[in-house]
Amino acid sequence: MKFSCVYPLYYKSKISEVIRSFKSINNQSLKASEILIIFDGPVSKEIFSFFIKKKNQNKKIRIINFKKNVGLGKLLSKVVKLAKYEIIIRADSDDINKKERFKYLINYLKKNSSIHVVSSYVKEIHKNRELVKKLPLNHDEIVKIINFKNPINHPAVAFRKKAVLNCGGYEDVPYFEDYFLWTKMINKNYKFHNLNKTLVISKIDDKFYSRRSGIQYLGHYLFFLNKIRSKKYINLFDYFINFSLRTFIYILPNLFVISFYKYFNNRK
């Protein structure tokens, strides 16, 4: 089963993290049939040179260069269409992928033709403390929480291209582009699954939490919430529960946001 790996970078990508992350892509036990290196606007000279060299060494690498930074949603909406193969695995440029990640995801999709999106747990390391983002495993459990929590770890995901495009693909919903896509797909009866394995490791800092709180982030969440309400993906009661709870959490000091995040994510 051939598949594409999509690997976006942008101006904040750091060469040290990229080298470590890309090594984990190259060292997979099951190799990608193509690796799409996506420059979302200008990147550093070190990163650009690094991937030009890699491309000369590996014919499976394709470089797609966007002159301006368009954001993840717009970027992925275009890149999914450019991928050659039906199965697409997404990878972040600052994450470490376990050596068996591609193998587990592809084998699962190969054996389960009814599943359209599959992901896994993600381990987040923050100041030498580890948190494993656990999510419901089977489709029915995923459907139960979709209105209240993103049920898929985006950095660990693999999906079927046709299913994503049939739902309109990714859209420009900042910070929630993946969550909006999963909501659309579930409402069109596409099937999801999470593996009971930790296949991706993310190193995060305090800025990770500050980016996910405050008035600006609340504005992005309300844009997402209003969008799913306008499409009748969520009822009015659930809308007001989300509105009230998220507004309360996102305006709290960062220390409380960190506590809430760890409590709600380190569990199934």
Side-chain angles (χ1 to χ4, degrees):
M1 181 179 283
K2 293 185 176 182
F3 64 97
S4 302
C5 174
V6 171
Y7 191 84
L9 304 105
Y10 73 132
Y11 70 98
K12 288 187 178 181
S13 300
K14 300 177 181 178
I15 184 64
S16 58
E17 293 176 346
V18 168
I19 291 173
R20 183 182 62 205
S21 173
F22 193 73
K23 183 178 179 181
S24 75
I25 298 294
N26 265 342
N27 289 344
Q28 289 292 304
S29 60
L30 179 63
K31 308 296 184 184
S33 309
E34 71 164 351
I35 303 174
L36 292 173
I37 306 300
I38 317 297
F39 296 146
D40 186 11
V43 296
S44 70
K45 292 181 179 179
E46 292 85 359
I47 289 176
F48 186 82
S49 298
F50 174 79
F51 282 109
I52 292 298
K53 182 178 179 181
K54 291 295 180 183
K55 184 178 184 299
N56 291 332
Q57 296 170 347
N58 186 349
K59 293 180 180 180
K60 293 181 179 180
I61 292 177
R62 293 169 58 198
I63 295 178
I64 300 174
N65 194 358
F66 290 89
K67 293 182 179 180
K68 294 182 180 179
N69 179 270
V70 297
L72 189 61
K74 289 182 179 179
L75 180 82
L76 292 176
S77 71
K78 297 178 180 181
V79 172
V80 167
K81 297 174 185 177
L82 296 174
K84 288 182 180 179
Y85 302 106
E86 169 61 12
I87 303 299
I88 297 175
I89 290 180
R90 182 177 176 274
D92 275 338
S93 63
D94 52 358
D95 291 341
I96 303 298
N97 297 271
K98 293 284 189 71
K99 188 173 183 178
E100 304 295 318
R101 182 196 166 196
F102 290 4
K103 178 181 176 181
Y104 280 124
L105 294 175
I106 296 301
N107 283 349
Y108 186 84
L109 289 174
K110 188 176 181 179
K111 294 176 183 178
N112 298 273
S113 59
S114 64
I115 299 296
H116 303 92
V117 178
V118 61
S119 189
S120 73
Y121 296 161
V122 170
K123 181 187 289 186
E124 294 178 346
I125 301 175
H126 177 233
K127 294 180 177 178
N128 297 321
R129 294 183 179 180
E130 297 181 355
L131 177 153
V132 177
K133 286 186 67 178
K134 296 180 179 180
L135 292 166
L137 302 179
N138 67 55
H139 179 76
D140 291 340
E141 293 173 335
I142 288 169
V143 170
K144 287 179 182 178
I145 73 163
I146 185 72
N147 285 349
F148 303 100
K149 180 179 179 179
N150 190 337
I152 296 293
N153 283 320
H154 200 204
V157 77
F159 53 78
R160 299 186 192 275
K161 175 179 177 177
K162 185 177 179 180
V164 168
L165 293 180
N166 283 346
C167 292
Y170 285 90
E171 296 185 36
D172 188 21
V173 187
Y175 291 97
F176 299 93
E177 47 275 310
D178 59 314
Y179 195 175
F180 185 58
L181 175 60
W182 314 145
T183 305
K184 291 193 297 181
M185 294 183 73
I186 281 178
N187 277 273
K188 287 202 172 185
N189 297 316
Y190 288 105
K191 304 298 182 182
F192 287 67
H193 187 80
N194 283 310
L195 300 179
N196 186 18
K197 299 178 182 295
T198 302
L199 299 180
V200 174
I201 301 172
S202 297
K203 288 190 176 181
I204 60 177
D205 54 21
D206 289 334
K207 291 181 180 180
F208 173 88
Y209 299 106
S210 62
R211 288 194 299 269
R212 286 157 178 78
S213 62
I215 298 300
Q216 186 176 17
Y217 188 76
L218 175 60
H220 290 309
Y221 177 73
L222 294 180
F223 176 74
F224 159 75
L225 188 62
N226 287 322
K227 200 170 178 69
I228 61 173
R229 174 58 188 159
S230 69
K231 294 184 177 293
K232 299 182 180 180
Y233 295 154
I234 188 171
N235 62 44
L236 194 59
F237 180 74
D238 289 350
Y239 173 90
F240 280 115
I241 289 178
N242 279 293
F243 179 90
S244 302
L245 182 62
R246 300 288 186 127
T247 299
F248 171 71
I249 292 175
Y250 292 155
I251 63 175
L252 288 172
N254 200 40
L255 181 63
F256 291 97
V257 173
I258 294 173
S259 298
F260 273 109
Y261 181 88
K262 290 181 176 180
Y263 178 79
F264 284 110
N265 283 294
N266 195 22
R267 55 183 55 235
K268 293 183 186 178

PDB file of all heavy atoms in Angstrom, residues 194-222:
ATOM      1  N   ASN A 194      -8.612   5.252  16.956  1.00  0.00           N
ATOM      2  CA  ASN A 194      -7.331   5.592  17.572  1.00  0.00           C
ATOM      3  C   ASN A 194      -6.656   4.315  18.055  1.00  0.00           C
ATOM      4  O   ASN A 194      -7.299   3.457  18.674  1.00  0.00           O
ATOM      5  CB  ASN A 194      -7.533   6.537  18.766  1.00  0.00           C
ATOM      6  CG  ASN A 194      -7.814   7.956  18.340  1.00  0.00           C
ATOM      7  OD1 ASN A 194      -7.105   8.533  17.516  1.00  0.00           O
ATOM      8  ND2 ASN A 194      -8.873   8.548  18.894  1.00  0.00           N
ATOM      9  N   LEU A 195      -5.367   4.204  17.756  1.00  0.00           N
ATOM     10  CA  LEU A 195      -4.605   3.043  18.207  1.00  0.00           C
ATOM     11  C   LEU A 195      -4.200   3.219  19.664  1.00  0.00           C
ATOM     12  O   LEU A 195      -3.867   4.336  20.094  1.00  0.00           O
ATOM     13  CB  LEU A 195      -3.347   2.867  17.343  1.00  0.00           C
ATOM     14  CG  LEU A 195      -3.567   2.638  15.849  1.00  0.00           C
ATOM     15  CD1 LEU A 195      -2.225   2.499  15.142  1.00  0.00           C
ATOM     16  CD2 LEU A 195      -4.435   1.412  15.590  1.00  0.00           C
ATOM     17  N   ASN A 196      -4.202   2.125  20.376  1.00  0.00           N
ATOM     18  CA  ASN A 196      -3.808   2.139  21.788  1.00  0.00           C
ATOM     19  C   ASN A 196      -2.283   2.070  21.903  1.00  0.00           C
ATOM     20  O   ASN A 196      -1.729   1.181  22.537  1.00  0.00           O
ATOM     21  CB  ASN A 196      -4.465   0.961  22.503  1.00  0.00           C
ATOM     22  CG  ASN A 196      -4.225   0.985  23.996  1.00  0.00           C
ATOM     23  OD1 ASN A 196      -3.871   2.012  24.569  1.00  0.00           O
ATOM     24  ND2 ASN A 196      -4.404  -0.151  24.633  1.00  0.00           N
ATOM     25  N   LYS A 197      -1.627   3.028  21.238  1.00  0.00           N
ATOM     26  CA  LYS A 197      -0.177   3.093  21.216  1.00  0.00           C
ATOM     27  C   LYS A 197       0.260   4.559  21.192  1.00  0.00           C
ATOM     28  O   LYS A 197      -0.446   5.405  20.647  1.00  0.00           O
ATOM     29  CB  LYS A 197       0.397   2.396  19.977  1.00  0.00           C
ATOM     30  CG  LYS A 197       0.071   0.910  19.881  1.00  0.00           C
ATOM     31  CD  LYS A 197       0.645   0.312  18.611  1.00  0.00           C
ATOM     32  CE  LYS A 197       0.268  -1.164  18.497  1.00  0.00           C
ATOM     33  NZ  LYS A 197       0.884  -1.974  19.567  1.00  0.00           N
ATOM     34  N   THR A 198       1.415   4.832  21.746  1.00  0.00           N
ATOM     35  CA  THR A 198       2.000   6.169  21.667  1.00  0.00           C
ATOM     36  C   THR A 198       3.038   6.160  20.556  1.00  0.00           C
ATOM     37  O   THR A 198       4.109   5.560  20.698  1.00  0.00           O
ATOM     38  CB  THR A 198       2.658   6.567  23.003  1.00  0.00           C
ATOM     39  OG1 THR A 198       1.682   6.520  24.041  1.00  0.00           O
ATOM     40  CG2 THR A 198       3.243   7.968  22.921  1.00  0.00           C
ATOM     41  N   LEU A 199       2.716   6.829  19.435  1.00  0.00           N
ATOM     42  CA  LEU A 199       3.570   6.747  18.247  1.00  0.00           C
ATOM     43  C   LEU A 199       4.289   8.051  17.921  1.00  0.00           C
ATOM     44  O   LEU A 199       5.126   8.080  17.023  1.00  0.00           O
ATOM     45  CB  LEU A 199       2.733   6.313  17.041  1.00  0.00           C
ATOM     46  CG  LEU A 199       2.063   4.941  17.155  1.00  0.00           C
ATOM     47  CD1 LEU A 199       1.264   4.623  15.900  1.00  0.00           C
ATOM     48  CD2 LEU A 199       3.101   3.847  17.410  1.00  0.00           C
ATOM     49  N   VAL A 200       3.951   9.125  18.634  1.00  0.00           N
ATOM     50  CA  VAL A 200       4.583  10.425  18.385  1.00  0.00           C
ATOM     51  C   VAL A 200       4.968  11.056  19.717  1.00  0.00           C
ATOM     52  O   VAL A 200       4.227  10.961  20.700  1.00  0.00           O
ATOM     53  CB  VAL A 200       3.627  11.366  17.622  1.00  0.00           C
ATOM     54  CG1 VAL A 200       4.236  12.765  17.489  1.00  0.00           C
ATOM     55  CG2 VAL A 200       3.308  10.808  16.240  1.00  0.00           C
ATOM     56  N   ILE A 201       6.133  11.691  19.731  1.00  0.00           N
ATOM     57  CA  ILE A 201       6.610  12.395  20.922  1.00  0.00           C
ATOM     58  C   ILE A 201       6.787  13.873  20.577  1.00  0.00           C
ATOM     59  O   ILE A 201       7.463  14.218  19.605  1.00  0.00           O
ATOM     60  CB  ILE A 201       7.946  11.812  21.410  1.00  0.00           C
ATOM     61  CG1 ILE A 201       7.777  10.322  21.747  1.00  0.00           C
ATOM     62  CG2 ILE A 201       8.458  12.587  22.625  1.00  0.00           C
ATOM     63  CD1 ILE A 201       9.080   9.624  22.048  1.00  0.00           C
ATOM     64  N   SER A 202       6.179  14.743  21.390  1.00  0.00           N
ATOM     65  CA  SER A 202       6.267  16.189  21.181  1.00  0.00           C
ATOM     66  C   SER A 202       6.943  16.839  22.383  1.00  0.00           C
ATOM     67  O   SER A 202       6.578  16.551  23.530  1.00  0.00           O
ATOM     68  CB  SER A 202       4.880  16.802  20.999  1.00  0.00           C
ATOM     69  OG  SER A 202       4.233  16.303  19.860  1.00  0.00           O
ATOM     70  N   LYS A 203       7.915  17.693  22.105  1.00  0.00           N
ATOM     71  CA  LYS A 203       8.511  18.503  23.169  1.00  0.00           C
ATOM     72  C   LYS A 203       7.872  19.887  23.125  1.00  0.00           C
ATOM     73  O   LYS A 203       7.900  20.554  22.095  1.00  0.00           O
ATOM     74  CB  LYS A 203      10.028  18.593  22.994  1.00  0.00           C
ATOM     75  CG  LYS A 203      10.745  17.301  23.318  1.00  0.00           C
ATOM     76  CD  LYS A 203      12.257  17.496  23.373  1.00  0.00           C
ATOM     77  CE  LYS A 203      12.948  16.197  23.809  1.00  0.00           C
ATOM     78  NZ  LYS A 203      14.424  16.366  23.906  1.00  0.00           N
ATOM     79  N   ILE A 204       7.278  20.303  24.243  1.00  0.00           N
ATOM     80  CA  ILE A 204       6.553  21.573  24.274  1.00  0.00           C
ATOM     81  C   ILE A 204       7.107  22.476  25.370  1.00  0.00           C
ATOM     82  O   ILE A 204       7.737  22.024  26.321  1.00  0.00           O
ATOM     83  CB  ILE A 204       5.043  21.343  24.477  1.00  0.00           C
ATOM     84  CG1 ILE A 204       4.780  20.624  25.791  1.00  0.00           C
ATOM     85  CG2 ILE A 204       4.463  20.523  23.320  1.00  0.00           C
ATOM     86  CD1 ILE A 204       3.316  20.428  26.084  1.00  0.00           C
ATOM     87  N   ASP A 205       6.849  23.789  25.213  1.00  0.00           N
ATOM     88  CA  ASP A 205       7.272  24.764  26.210  1.00  0.00           C
ATOM     89  C   ASP A 205       6.058  25.533  26.712  1.00  0.00           C
ATOM     90  O   ASP A 205       4.914  25.241  26.357  1.00  0.00           O
ATOM     91  CB  ASP A 205       8.328  25.712  25.632  1.00  0.00           C
ATOM     92  CG  ASP A 205       7.853  26.385  24.347  1.00  0.00           C
ATOM     93  OD1 ASP A 205       6.618  26.451  24.116  1.00  0.00           O
ATOM     94  OD2 ASP A 205       8.701  26.844  23.561  1.00  0.00           O
ATOM     95  N   ASP A 206       6.299  26.547  27.554  1.00  0.00           N
ATOM     96  CA  ASP A 206       5.190  27.314  28.125  1.00  0.00           C
ATOM     97  C   ASP A 206       4.381  28.039  27.061  1.00  0.00           C
ATOM     98  O   ASP A 206       3.181  28.287  27.237  1.00  0.00           O
ATOM     99  CB  ASP A 206       5.718  28.333  29.146  1.00  0.00           C
ATOM    100  CG  ASP A 206       6.215  27.651  30.423  1.00  0.00           C
ATOM    101  OD1 ASP A 206       5.712  26.539  30.716  1.00  0.00           O
ATOM    102  OD2 ASP A 206       7.080  28.214  31.107  1.00  0.00           O
ATOM    103  N   LYS A 207       5.020  28.394  25.939  1.00  0.00           N
ATOM    104  CA  LYS A 207       4.307  29.096  24.872  1.00  0.00           C
ATOM    105  C   LYS A 207       3.221  28.214  24.258  1.00  0.00           C
ATOM    106  O   LYS A 207       2.244  28.726  23.720  1.00  0.00           O
ATOM    107  CB  LYS A 207       5.299  29.551  23.792  1.00  0.00           C
ATOM    108  CG  LYS A 207       6.239  30.654  24.234  1.00  0.00           C
ATOM    109  CD  LYS A 207       7.168  31.074  23.099  1.00  0.00           C
ATOM    110  CE  LYS A 207       8.111  32.181  23.553  1.00  0.00           C
ATOM    111  NZ  LYS A 207       9.026  32.593  22.456  1.00  0.00           N
ATOM    112  N   PHE A 208       3.415  26.909  24.345  1.00  0.00           N
ATOM    113  CA  PHE A 208       2.407  25.976  23.844  1.00  0.00           C
ATOM    114  C   PHE A 208       1.077  26.222  24.533  1.00  0.00           C
ATOM    115  O   PHE A 208       0.016  26.229  23.899  1.00  0.00           O
ATOM    116  CB  PHE A 208       2.876  24.547  24.087  1.00  0.00           C
ATOM    117  CG  PHE A 208       1.852  23.489  23.768  1.00  0.00           C
ATOM    118  CD1 PHE A 208       1.750  22.966  22.489  1.00  0.00           C
ATOM    119  CD2 PHE A 208       0.995  23.001  24.755  1.00  0.00           C
ATOM    120  CE1 PHE A 208       0.814  21.988  22.191  1.00  0.00           C
ATOM    121  CE2 PHE A 208       0.054  22.020  24.455  1.00  0.00           C
ATOM    122  CZ  PHE A 208      -0.030  21.514  23.177  1.00  0.00           C
ATOM    123  N   TYR A 209       1.115  26.456  25.849  1.00  0.00           N
ATOM    124  CA  TYR A 209      -0.111  26.678  26.608  1.00  0.00           C
ATOM    125  C   TYR A 209      -0.638  28.101  26.430  1.00  0.00           C
ATOM    126  O   TYR A 209      -1.845  28.311  26.332  1.00  0.00           O
ATOM    127  CB  TYR A 209       0.133  26.387  28.091  1.00  0.00           C
ATOM    128  CG  TYR A 209       0.546  24.966  28.353  1.00  0.00           C
ATOM    129  CD1 TYR A 209       1.866  24.655  28.668  1.00  0.00           C
ATOM    130  CD2 TYR A 209      -0.378  23.922  28.272  1.00  0.00           C
ATOM    131  CE1 TYR A 209       2.251  23.334  28.915  1.00  0.00           C
ATOM    132  CE2 TYR A 209      -0.002  22.601  28.515  1.00  0.00           C
ATOM    133  CZ  TYR A 209       1.312  22.320  28.827  1.00  0.00           C
ATOM    134  OH  TYR A 209       1.688  21.022  29.057  1.00  0.00           O
ATOM    135  N   SER A 210       0.274  29.068  26.373  1.00  0.00           N
ATOM    136  CA  SER A 210      -0.174  30.450  26.221  1.00  0.00           C
ATOM    137  C   SER A 210      -0.830  30.686  24.870  1.00  0.00           C
ATOM    138  O   SER A 210      -1.730  31.519  24.735  1.00  0.00           O
ATOM    139  CB  SER A 210       1.006  31.418  26.415  1.00  0.00           C
ATOM    140  OG  SER A 210       2.006  31.207  25.432  1.00  0.00           O
ATOM    141  N   ARG A 211      -0.399  29.920  23.845  1.00  0.00           N
ATOM    142  CA  ARG A 211      -1.041  30.017  22.534  1.00  0.00           C
ATOM    143  C   ARG A 211      -2.451  29.448  22.553  1.00  0.00           C
ATOM    144  O   ARG A 211      -3.260  29.745  21.668  1.00  0.00           O
ATOM    145  CB  ARG A 211      -0.203  29.290  21.470  1.00  0.00           C
ATOM    146  CG  ARG A 211       1.083  29.991  21.087  1.00  0.00           C
ATOM    147  CD  ARG A 211       1.660  29.397  19.812  1.00  0.00           C
ATOM    148  NE  ARG A 211       1.981  27.988  19.956  1.00  0.00           N
ATOM    149  CZ  ARG A 211       3.175  27.534  20.345  1.00  0.00           C
ATOM    150  NH1 ARG A 211       4.154  28.385  20.631  1.00  0.00           N
ATOM    151  NH2 ARG A 211       3.393  26.223  20.438  1.00  0.00           N
ATOM    152  N   ARG A 212      -2.732  28.624  23.543  1.00  0.00           N
ATOM    153  CA  ARG A 212      -4.037  27.973  23.648  1.00  0.00           C
ATOM    154  C   ARG A 212      -4.887  28.567  24.759  1.00  0.00           C
ATOM    155  O   ARG A 212      -5.708  27.876  25.388  1.00  0.00           O
ATOM    156  CB  ARG A 212      -3.846  26.464  23.861  1.00  0.00           C
ATOM    157  CG  ARG A 212      -3.407  25.770  22.587  1.00  0.00           C
ATOM    158  CD  ARG A 212      -2.700  24.472  22.832  1.00  0.00           C
ATOM    159  NE  ARG A 212      -2.347  23.827  21.561  1.00  0.00           N
ATOM    160  CZ  ARG A 212      -1.327  24.186  20.795  1.00  0.00           C
ATOM    161  NH1 ARG A 212      -0.543  25.198  21.161  1.00  0.00           N
ATOM    162  NH2 ARG A 212      -1.084  23.566  19.654  1.00  0.00           N
ATOM    163  N   SER A 213      -4.693  29.848  25.005  1.00  0.00           N
ATOM    164  CA  SER A 213      -5.498  30.563  25.988  1.00  0.00           C
ATOM    165  C   SER A 213      -5.503  32.048  25.621  1.00  0.00           C
ATOM    166  O   SER A 213      -4.840  32.471  24.663  1.00  0.00           O
ATOM    167  CB  SER A 213      -4.925  30.358  27.396  1.00  0.00           C
ATOM    168  OG  SER A 213      -3.609  30.888  27.480  1.00  0.00           O
ATOM    169  N   GLY A 214      -6.278  32.835  26.361  1.00  0.00           N
ATOM    170  CA  GLY A 214      -6.344  34.272  26.106  1.00  0.00           C
ATOM    171  C   GLY A 214      -7.494  34.641  25.176  1.00  0.00           C
ATOM    172  O   GLY A 214      -8.147  33.788  24.576  1.00  0.00           O
ATOM    173  N   ILE A 215      -7.714  35.935  25.056  1.00  0.00           N
ATOM    174  CA  ILE A 215      -8.843  36.454  24.283  1.00  0.00           C
ATOM    175  C   ILE A 215      -8.739  36.098  22.800  1.00  0.00           C
ATOM    176  O   ILE A 215      -9.728  35.731  22.159  1.00  0.00           O
ATOM    177  CB  ILE A 215      -8.941  37.981  24.450  1.00  0.00           C
ATOM    178  CG1 ILE A 215      -9.202  38.346  25.927  1.00  0.00           C
ATOM    179  CG2 ILE A 215     -10.062  38.537  23.576  1.00  0.00           C
ATOM    180  CD1 ILE A 215     -10.482  37.768  26.491  1.00  0.00           C
ATOM    181  N   GLN A 216      -7.517  36.177  22.244  1.00  0.00           N
ATOM    182  CA  GLN A 216      -7.355  35.884  20.821  1.00  0.00           C
ATOM    183  C   GLN A 216      -7.681  34.417  20.514  1.00  0.00           C
ATOM    184  O   GLN A 216      -8.385  34.110  19.548  1.00  0.00           O
ATOM    185  CB  GLN A 216      -5.941  36.208  20.364  1.00  0.00           C
ATOM    186  CG  GLN A 216      -5.744  36.062  18.853  1.00  0.00           C
ATOM    187  CD  GLN A 216      -4.347  36.479  18.406  1.00  0.00           C
ATOM    188  OE1 GLN A 216      -3.423  36.587  19.208  1.00  0.00           O
ATOM    189  NE2 GLN A 216      -4.188  36.714  17.122  1.00  0.00           N
ATOM    190  N   TYR A 217      -7.196  33.513  21.356  1.00  0.00           N
ATOM    191  CA  TYR A 217      -7.481  32.100  21.146  1.00  0.00           C
ATOM    192  C   TYR A 217      -8.961  31.810  21.338  1.00  0.00           C
ATOM    193  O   TYR A 217      -9.553  31.012  20.594  1.00  0.00           O
ATOM    194  CB  TYR A 217      -6.647  31.246  22.108  1.00  0.00           C
ATOM    195  CG  TYR A 217      -6.740  29.767  21.837  1.00  0.00           C
ATOM    196  CD1 TYR A 217      -6.065  29.193  20.771  1.00  0.00           C
ATOM    197  CD2 TYR A 217      -7.505  28.939  22.661  1.00  0.00           C
ATOM    198  CE1 TYR A 217      -6.145  27.827  20.512  1.00  0.00           C
ATOM    199  CE2 TYR A 217      -7.589  27.581  22.411  1.00  0.00           C
ATOM    200  CZ  TYR A 217      -6.901  27.026  21.342  1.00  0.00           C
ATOM    201  OH  TYR A 217      -6.993  25.680  21.099  1.00  0.00           O
ATOM    202  N   LEU A 218      -9.568  32.487  22.324  1.00  0.00           N
ATOM    203  CA  LEU A 218     -11.010  32.345  22.526  1.00  0.00           C
ATOM    204  C   LEU A 218     -11.770  32.772  21.281  1.00  0.00           C
ATOM    205  O   LEU A 218     -12.741  32.124  20.882  1.00  0.00           O
ATOM    206  CB  LEU A 218     -11.457  33.185  23.729  1.00  0.00           C
ATOM    207  CG  LEU A 218     -12.967  33.231  23.999  1.00  0.00           C
ATOM    208  CD1 LEU A 218     -13.519  31.836  24.267  1.00  0.00           C
ATOM    209  CD2 LEU A 218     -13.270  34.168  25.170  1.00  0.00           C
ATOM    210  N   GLY A 219     -11.310  33.847  20.647  1.00  0.00           N
ATOM    211  CA  GLY A 219     -11.943  34.301  19.413  1.00  0.00           C
ATOM    212  C   GLY A 219     -11.881  33.246  18.324  1.00  0.00           C
ATOM    213  O   GLY A 219     -12.861  33.022  17.603  1.00  0.00           O
ATOM    214  N   HIS A 220     -10.736  32.563  18.204  1.00  0.00           N
ATOM    215  CA  HIS A 220     -10.599  31.490  17.209  1.00  0.00           C
ATOM    216  C   HIS A 220     -11.544  30.331  17.546  1.00  0.00           C
ATOM    217  O   HIS A 220     -12.159  29.741  16.642  1.00  0.00           O
ATOM    218  CB  HIS A 220      -9.161  30.981  17.168  1.00  0.00           C
ATOM    219  CG  HIS A 220      -8.189  31.953  16.576  1.00  0.00           C
ATOM    220  ND1 HIS A 220      -8.392  32.562  15.356  1.00  0.00           N
ATOM    221  CD2 HIS A 220      -6.985  32.414  17.031  1.00  0.00           C
ATOM    222  CE1 HIS A 220      -7.367  33.362  15.084  1.00  0.00           C
ATOM    223  NE2 HIS A 220      -6.514  33.278  16.079  1.00  0.00           N
ATOM    224  N   TYR A 221     -11.642  30.004  18.842  1.00  0.00           N
ATOM    225  CA  TYR A 221     -12.531  28.905  19.227  1.00  0.00           C
ATOM    226  C   TYR A 221     -13.994  29.257  18.934  1.00  0.00           C
ATOM    227  O   TYR A 221     -14.742  28.410  18.425  1.00  0.00           O
ATOM    228  CB  TYR A 221     -12.375  28.562  20.712  1.00  0.00           C
ATOM    229  CG  TYR A 221     -13.348  27.482  21.120  1.00  0.00           C
ATOM    230  CD1 TYR A 221     -13.159  26.168  20.729  1.00  0.00           C
ATOM    231  CD2 TYR A 221     -14.497  27.800  21.852  1.00  0.00           C
ATOM    232  CE1 TYR A 221     -14.073  25.183  21.062  1.00  0.00           C
ATOM    233  CE2 TYR A 221     -15.416  26.827  22.185  1.00  0.00           C
ATOM    234  CZ  TYR A 221     -15.200  25.520  21.788  1.00  0.00           C
ATOM    235  OH  TYR A 221     -16.116  24.544  22.098  1.00  0.00           O
ATOM    236  N   LEU A 222     -14.391  30.479  19.239  1.00  0.00           N
ATOM    237  CA  LEU A 222     -15.780  30.870  18.993  1.00  0.00           C
ATOM    238  C   LEU A 222     -16.093  30.893  17.495  1.00  0.00           C
ATOM    239  O   LEU A 222     -17.218  30.598  17.083  1.00  0.00           O
ATOM    240  CB  LEU A 222     -16.063  32.232  19.630  1.00  0.00           C
ATOM    241  CG  LEU A 222     -16.001  32.256  21.168  1.00  0.00           C
ATOM    242  CD1 LEU A 222     -16.290  33.656  21.687  1.00  0.00           C
ATOM    243  CD2 LEU A 222     -16.971  31.245  21.772  1.00  0.00           C
TER     244      LEU A 222
END
